Amino acid sequence: MARILLVEDNEMNRDMLRRRLQKRGHVVVEAVDGVGALAKARSDTPDLILMDMDLPEIDGWEATRRLKADEATRHIP
């Protein structure tokens, strides 16, 4: 199954999504803010990123712009 980076600062939402994805056989890697998302995307090479757009530190919009500008992560949907 897919390795999914779940970026969500709300613990309840993150827990619910993680459990649903894992129940379907996916491996879930988590980040709670945009800074963590950038680091995890580079280190864990996910197949997919589910990004909350309203995040602390760097919001999801900026984190996504940076991921798409980076040659190493731009291919990740």
Side-chain angles (χ1 to χ4, degrees), residues 50-67:
L50 297 178
M51 179 81 72
D52 180 8
M53 302 318 281
D54 186 26
L55 296 168
E57 301 292 321
I58 299 172
D59 68 24
W61 298 104
E62 180 60 25
T64 299
R65 276 192 284 280
R66 292 183 189 188
L67 289 167

Side-chain angles (χ1 to χ4, degrees), residues 27-71:
V27 174
V28 179
V29 177
E30 298 176 31
V32 297
D33 58 33
V35 174
L38 295 173
K40 295 275 186 168
R42 290 183 187 113
S43 67
D44 292 313
T45 58
D47 300 307
L48 175 70
I49 300 173
L50 297 178
M51 179 81 72
D52 180 8
M53 302 318 281
D54 186 26
L55 296 168
E57 301 292 321
I58 299 172
D59 68 24
W61 298 104
E62 180 60 25
T64 299
R65 276 192 284 280
R66 292 183 189 188
L67 289 167
K68 291 303 178 185
D70 186 336
E71 186 69 35

Side-chain angles (χ1 to χ4, degrees), residues 6-18 30-33 52 54-56:
L6 174 59
V7 187
E8 172 62 67
D9 61 329
N10 181 293
E11 185 176 353
M12 288 177 52
N13 291 344
R14 196 171 56 248
D15 181 59
M16 183 262 310
L17 287 166
R18 178 186 357 92
E30 298 176 31
V32 297
D33 58 33
D52 180 8
D54 186 26
L55 296 168

